[in-house]
Amino acid sequence: MKTATKLIHNAHAIDPVTGALNTPITMTSTFAQKDIFADQEFDYARSGNPTRKALEETIALLEGGAKGYAFSSGMAATSSVLGIFSAGDHIVAAEDIYGGSYRILNSFYKRFGLEHTAIDASDLDAIRKAIKPNTKAIFLETPSNPLLKITDLKGAIAIAKERDLFTIVDNTFMTPLLQRPIALGADIVVHSATKFLGGHSDLVLGLAVSANEAIGRRIYQVQNGFGATPSPFDCFLTLRGIKTLRARLAVEQDNAQKLALWFQKHGDVERVYYPAIGDAAALHKSQADGFGAVLSFKTKTTDRALSFLKKVRLAACAVSLGGVETIASYPVKMSHAAMPPSERERRGISENLIRVSAGLEDIDDLIDDFDKALQ
Ligand SMILES: *Cc1c(COP(=O)(O)O)cnc(C)c1O
């Protein structure tokens, strides 16, 4: 089956007990143990829950991995995956991974002795040069945020395999419908399901998928021990979101493409960032089945960017992405506010930059509204 079919037809398409077309929400903290000497699948809900299990098996199937794990947020998923490493280990991470991922490496995990080097992952030589004798993993995210830079996944994974390192890929922007890093050789995929998988801006949840059982056991130890697990209700909402992912993403991606072209022709726009535009488009196309629904643009002046955010009506001015509604965010004051201005400037995250996550609105209305907001 193709991924689009698996979104609907998977092991949890029909509840085996009642025939229900949806997974029941099992709200319980504990499970009665009929025979305390026998093994029982569920005993305590931090360790496992049937609704969570359905989501975990579904994401593992979609990503083509062995095991899936659900967490209370995307950051809980990433932090728990990083928790499989030890003091003295070293991680090579793309410099433009999600801000929260950078922060947890640079603060919490640094204090616990997990070292990390941030590099421009679109440059394979930079990855190679950053590897040290104690390096254990390469952490990637492509396209990156907010400038949609592309990393050569196959190239980076080949470097990791030469040195026996894990490759971890944050696949939030693409979802398994558009990009499946495990098929390209990655060992672990993480997701903020808060975004496209949930898809309705109504939950916070994270997922991790391991390529094999052995890595899965290491992640499970942290999931169960650290305990950043999601509620069964949010697992249900994510399962529900996954079923409509294809339809949502198709429209959102189409809207994003049209907005990107429209922005490119707009006289007040200096530059547009979208995986379909620029030198890396062919590379992106070689490893993904679509360009996604997130784009960024720079206006010619900062004033124009600020007035756009004030005037725009059909986009919520907010953080986050991947919802049914269009969202416009201002990286300098939102996702990258904690970054020193000089560092932001070096990376091109300037005060005239706006990121847009295209929603399901009619494209003519969006363009009409954006046009007015840019005046
Ligand atoms: C939002 C996001 C995260 C963090 O997820 P939360 O659910 O907010 O904790 C991680 N990676 C990417 C790419 C994201 O967009």
Side-chain angles (χ1 to χ4, degrees), residues 72-76 78 98 101 141 145 170 172-173 191-195 204-206 320-321 355:
S72 51
S73 69
M75 276 319 303
T78 294
Y98 179 71
S101 308
E141 189 179 317
N145 179 26
D170 184 332
T172 299
F173 272 41
H191 276 285
S192 170
T194 311
K195 317 292 168 55
V204 173
L205 189 137
S320 202
L321 54 104
R355 189 190 74 196

Side-chain angles (χ1 to χ4, degrees), residues 77-145:
T78 294
S79 304
S80 298
V81 162
L82 292 172
I84 72 172
F85 299 103
S86 305
D89 289 351
H90 173 254
I91 311 271
V92 174
E95 62 184 6
D96 43 11
I97 49 172
Y98 179 71
S101 308
Y102 174 79
R103 273 198 300 276
I104 200 78
L105 276 167
N106 212 36
S107 57
F108 183 92
Y109 278 111
K110 197 177 189 174
R111 282 193 283 111
F112 285 85
L114 180 64
E115 300 169 30
H116 114 273
T117 305
I119 44 96
D120 175 359
S122 63
D123 174 4
L124 292 181
D125 267 344
I127 298 181
R128 214 174 268 118
K129 282 192 195 124
I131 295 172
K132 305 203 283 186
N134 57 338
T135 303
K136 291 286 158 53
I138 301 179
F139 192 117
L140 304 170
E141 189 179 317
T142 180
S144 73
N145 179 26

